[in-house]
């Protein structure tokens, strides 16, 4: 049996003009002395910059080293630091490196050993350093596959 619903009275609001709607969609100017925040950063599309710093500390690498390994420029990193947020693509790279570090820690049972393995040339990667090899998505998957293979060989 259907319930009868009471009709709501229509709101008597003025229709907004197209120009008014467009103005509402425009980004607001940044307050004086602050860097403008892009819409994607404001909507939470990327990680907070602190995640980049946390990865750097966990890997025990310099800012320049991590910046280069992630394929970013110094200027980009400085800009992201000022904004406080990474883009989606940059966040994906940070997450990929963090995932590799997590797998290595799980496999070796120690953060120091995991760091050492990730920074040392590996035969399974044709003599490449895993963190350098992982610059691309494909390379990161290869490093992940090698860690998986090593995990299967351990008793």
């Amino acid at each position: 049996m259907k319930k009868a619903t009471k009709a709501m009275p229509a709101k008597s609001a003025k229709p907004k003009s197209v120009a008014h709607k467009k103005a509402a969609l425009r980004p607001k100017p940044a307050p004086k002395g602050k860097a403008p925040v892009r819409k994607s950063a404001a909507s939470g599309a990327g990680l907070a910059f602190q995640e980049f710093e946390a990865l750097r500390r966990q890997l025990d690498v310099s800012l320049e080293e991590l910046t280069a390994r992630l394929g970013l420029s110094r200027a980009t990193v400085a800009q992201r630091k000022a904004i406080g947020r990474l883009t989606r693509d940059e966040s994906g790279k940070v997450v990929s490196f963090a995932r590799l570090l997590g797998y290595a820690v799980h496999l070796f049972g120690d953060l120091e050993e995991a760091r050492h393995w990730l920074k040392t040339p590996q035969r399974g990667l044709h003599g490449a350093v895993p963190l350098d090899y992982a610059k691309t998505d494909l390379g990161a998957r290869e490093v992940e596959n090698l860690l998986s293979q090593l995990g299967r060989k351990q008793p």
Side-chain angles (χ1 to χ4, degrees):
M1 187 184 231
K2 275 190 173 180
K3 258 188 174 179
T5 57
K6 195 174 187 179
M8 297 297 287
K11 292 183 181 178
S12 60
K14 285 185 181 180
K16 293 183 179 180
S17 69
V18 174
H20 185 266
K21 288 179 185 176
K22 284 183 181 178
L25 295 175
R26 276 189 221 119
K28 306 285 186 252
K32 264 192 170 174
K34 296 224 177 188
V37 177
R38 289 185 15 212
K39 187 174 181 177
S40 64
S43 65
L47 294 173
F49 186 79
Q50 289 95 353
E51 299 299 330
F52 177 88
E53 284 292 339
L55 176 64
R56 187 190 65 72
R57 286 190 304 274
Q58 288 288 312
L59 288 172
D60 191 29
V61 295
S62 69
L63 180 68
E64 291 77 23
E65 212 176 334
L66 183 57
T67 298
R69 285 187 163 144
L70 291 175
L72 304 173
S73 70
R74 284 171 148 192
T76 298
V77 172
Q79 186 180 36
R80 299 300 179 259
K81 186 175 184 177
I83 292 171
R85 195 157 289 286
L86 302 171
T87 65
R88 273 190 205 167
D89 290 340
E90 295 157 357
S91 297
K93 291 177 182 182
V94 168
V95 168
S96 178
F97 271 50
R99 184 180 308 127
L100 290 176
L101 178 61
Y103 288 155
V105 168
H106 179 74
L107 177 65
F108 299 111
D110 180 55
L111 178 60
E112 195 58 43
E113 285 186 43
R115 285 177 183 156
H116 176 73
W117 189 88
L118 288 167
K119 295 177 189 179
T120 305
Q122 300 299 323
R123 235 181 22 207
L125 298 173
H126 311 288
V129 173
L131 286 179
D132 293 335
Y133 206 80
K135 281 184 178 180
T136 64
D137 288 338
L138 182 60
R141 279 187 251 139
E142 287 296 318
V143 173
E144 193 175 315
N145 288 339
L146 180 57
L147 283 167
S148 179
Q149 289 172 7
L150 292 172
R152 280 188 241 130
K153 289 181 182 179
Q154 288 190 349

